Amino acid sequence: MRVKIKLFTLIVATFFTPFINAQETTKPNIIHIIADDVGYDDLGCFGAKDINTPNLDQLATDGMKFTNFYTPHGTCTPSRASALTGRYASRVNNGTGLYVLFPHSTTGLEDELEVSITELLKEQGYTTGLYGKWHLGHLPQYLPCVHGFDEFLGIPYPNDHGPERIGNSGWRPNGISDPQIPLIEQAQVIQRCDNNDLAELPALFTREACKFIYRSVQDKKPFYLQYANIETHTPYFVPRGFEGQSKAGAYGDAVEYLDRSVGIILNTLKRLKIEDNTIIVFTSDNGPLVHRDEELENCYGKCGFTDESREHLLREGKYQERFDGGIRVSCIMKWPGNIPASTQCDEMITGMDLFTTFADLAGAPIPTDRVIDGKDIQPLMKNEKGAKSPHKAVYGFTANGRLMSVRYKNWKLILPGKHWTGNFETPQLYDLNNDQGEETNVVDAHPKVVQEMTELADNAAAAMKNHQPLDQ
């Protein structure tokens, strides 16, 4: 694999020096691990029985589990746009929004219109790096280094957006060909990856992420690292030698390899003696695949297979914001001395809250010239007595601003309308305290709750349409 290697002397130190002196900085380092398409209960610490995740389980033991963490959207691009900007995806780019991007897409996250968390952190002296998947625009004007990332090594869209998806021809009806997946360093394509190359990328991204940490420590600067793995997104390719180890098939192999990568990153922090000054946040961009896809199976065989017999706690999966399986995901946070070990928070938070929280921790001012949907969740992280969710309700908006669901206290309201998950003529109501899988509609038994939540939904939909805050 042709990858430009930087700072040879540093790389030698990485592998042969036992440790480097800890950073001399008061600002905390921040690592955000964004898992791709990992389900709420696909980690051992969240109930998985057929997937082993010892490193993530240990992360939960050393920190806090968030059991009601809602990712902003049910698909990759809008969810990542929201996490980076602290705004629902339908607000970005002056309200034009941002939906899932493809190799032939000509749009992306507009730097001139949006403020990213990385830009705010850089102003506070942070060095920033992204290793793995981007998916917010593959053209040069949309790549990570335009949005405040000092370093980027990764792929610009999912690993199944290659020519395999259209009959191995690379041809589309509009005459535009999809090339092999590009591996990009900074803004330069350094390799076109076939399936064998894609299988080895997860190991490369882990190594390079660890080197980024070493460089930041040598420079004595606080850092923000976004580690965005790719192997848990179809196709479930893992490096040679790690296949066939999970009871959950190729998908389980991918999650278990992600767990190994997390362990390597954690060990790097220990070697450098900086784990006490480093916040680690693990989330997923959206829920998992739960339905078989004939095209994926024809393209990738077992690495494109979805086992529909696997049971999940939550209803449905990715590609939708109606049911919790698409937008409620596992979340773990660790920050020694600040986040109590072996704790659990059941309050509602969202992926957009990380924007506001990270900015506040770094001392960066929150933009006031736009609506920021994210809230500061430090009281919850620190397990302060009486701390409550900063959100009255959490909303399931599609990338184009259509409201699909409302989470309020223990209640989940599904709004009527046509959708591939079902055409509902009337609202549906679920009591998540007693029905986590959203199986029993209790709408007739709680008319006052339905009325109250319908009003919340109407107000939220109007606020989104009029570019106003939701919690007014």
Side-chain angles (χ1 to χ4, degrees):
M1 177 171 292
R2 296 183 289 106
V3 178
K4 293 184 290 182
I5 303 299
K6 301 177 180 179
L7 300 176
F8 176 76
T9 56
L10 173 61
I11 296 171
V12 172
T14 297
F15 290 103
F16 295 103
T17 303
F19 61 86
I20 298 175
N21 290 334
Q23 290 168 298
E24 297 175 3
T25 176
T26 57
K27 294 182 182 293
N29 306 305
I30 303 170
I31 297 177
H32 186 188
I33 301 170
I34 303 181
D36 205 339
D37 296 359
V38 172
Y40 177 84
D41 53 349
D42 285 336
L43 310 181
C45 53
F46 277 82
K49 304 298 183 184
D50 54 355
I51 301 177
N52 294 318
T53 55
N55 295 297
L56 286 164
D57 297 348
Q58 187 61 50
L59 189 69
T61 298
D62 295 339
M64 178 180 288
K65 292 196 315 179
F66 289 82
T67 62
N68 282 296
F69 178 93
Y70 282 86
T71 189
H73 302 280
T75 46
C76 298
T77 296
S79 181
R80 291 164 190 262
S82 294
L84 198 66
T85 64
R87 292 149 54 83
Y88 281 104
S90 55
R91 295 195 193 272
V92 304
N93 294 353
N94 268 355
T96 59
L98 198 59
Y99 195 60
V100 177
L101 298 174
F102 294 88
H104 55 276
S105 299
T106 58
T107 58
L109 188 67
E110 297 284 353
D111 176 59
E112 293 184 357
L113 301 177
E114 295 301 324
V115 177
S116 66
I117 182 60
T118 36
E119 291 171 327
L120 295 181
L121 294 177
K122 278 178 64 66
E123 293 176 356
Q124 300 303 313
Y126 278 71
T127 185
T128 56
L130 191 158
Y131 295 87
K133 175 179 158 185
W134 171 237
H135 210 184
L136 293 176
H138 71 281
L139 298 178
Q141 64 268 32
Y142 302 125
L143 289 175
C145 292
V146 177
H147 291 283
F149 283 98
D150 294 312
E151 299 187 19
F152 170 56
L153 179 68
I155 60 177
Y157 37 73
N159 32 329
D160 66 355
H161 280 192
E164 298 83 9
R165 292 297 296 274
I166 40 182
N168 283 303
S169 67
W171 179 87
R172 289 183 179 274
N174 58 11
I176 299 176
S177 297
D178 284 350
Q180 289 182 315
I181 304 296
L183 176 63
I184 297 177
E185 186 175 32
Q186 301 301 82
Q188 180 181 355
V189 176
I190 60 175
Q191 184 173 354
R192 290 286 176 179
C193 299
D194 62 21
N195 289 343
N196 291 321
D197 297 323
L198 288 175
E200 300 302 323
L201 288 185
L204 173 68
F205 295 151
T206 306
R207 291 195 300 269
E208 295 300 321
C210 291
K211 292 175 189 176
F212 167 80
I213 296 173
Y214 273 93
R215 288 194 291 272
S216 301
V217 172
Q218 278 203 330
D219 292 339
K220 296 183 179 181
K221 293 182 64 177
F223 64 82
Y224 170 84
L225 167 64
Q226 186 177 116
Y227 180 78
N229 84 303
I230 67 170
E231 65 272 21
T232 51
H233 187 291
T234 52
Y236 305 126
F237 294 148
V238 295
R240 186 173 300 174
F242 292 93
E243 314 96 326
Q245 299 191 13
S246 172
K247 297 178 182 178
Y251 171 71
D253 288 343
V255 177
E256 292 187 8
Y257 193 86
L258 166 62
D259 182 76
R260 291 185 180 92
S261 298
V262 172
I264 292 170
I265 292 172
L266 295 176
N267 285 333
T268 298
L269 301 180
K270 291 180 181 179
R271 284 169 57 90
L272 296 175
K273 300 182 179 181
I274 59 170
E275 58 181 335
D276 286 349
N277 193 42
T278 301
I279 302 168
I280 304 170
V281 176
F282 174 92
T283 65
S284 180
D285 60 349
N286 46 249
L289 279 176
V290 294
H291 299 293
R292 291 182 62 176
D293 186 311
E294 182 178 355
E295 182 190 8
L296 288 174
E297 292 178 24
N298 289 337
C299 292
Y300 306 114
K302 66 180 182 181
C303 292
F305 174 73
T306 299
D307 184 359
E308 292 183 332
S309 69
R310 285 191 76 231
E311 295 183 356
H312 288 280
L313 293 173
L314 308 182
R315 182 171 174 179
E316 285 294 345
K318 67 179 292 188
Y319 300 131
Q320 54 86 36
E321 292 84 7
R322 258 185 174 170
F323 300 106
D324 269 11
I327 53 177
R328 185 174 161 202
V329 298
S330 55
C331 175
I332 307 170
M333 298 188 192
K334 176 188 174 184
W335 187 15
N338 294 278
I339 297 177
S342 299
T343 52
Q344 177 172 306
C345 177
D346 299 323
E347 294 291 320
M348 295 184 299
I349 61 173
T350 80
M352 296 172 290
D353 297 334
L354 299 178
F355 173 95
T356 306
T357 304
F358 291 164
D360 188 76
L361 287 168
I366 307 300
T368 58
D369 63 340
R370 65 198 59 221
V371 175
I372 299 295
D373 296 296
K375 310 294 183 183
D376 188 350
I377 57 171
Q378 290 185 70
L380 295 175
M381 295 166 58
K382 297 176 180 179
N383 203 29
E384 293 180 4
K385 185 177 181 180
K388 298 294 183 182
S389 170
H391 303 277
K392 183 175 183 180
V394 171
Y395 302 94
F397 280 102
T398 66
N400 62 8
R402 178 186 173 189
L403 184 56
M404 305 295 293
S405 63
V406 180
R407 171 72 191 272
Y408 172 64
K409 298 180 179 178
N410 59 299
W411 302 105
K412 181 75 176 297
L413 182 72
I414 308 298
L415 299 175
K418 294 183 178 180
H419 192 258
W420 67 264
T421 54
N423 298 330
F424 302 146
E425 295 183 358
T426 58
Q428 297 194 6
L429 182 70
Y430 299 95
D431 178 1
L432 298 186
N433 279 355
N434 300 301
D435 181 20
Q436 193 168 206
E438 297 173 277
E439 297 178 350
T440 304
N441 180 13
V442 295
V443 67
D444 293 333
H446 301 279
K448 291 185 178 180
V449 173
V450 174
Q451 180 181 357
E452 183 177 7
M453 294 185 70
T454 300
E455 291 177 0
L456 288 173
D458 291 343
N459 292 337
M464 183 64 69
K465 182 178 179 180
N466 296 318
H467 309 290
Q468 297 173 338
L470 299 182
D471 296 329
Q472 292 194 111

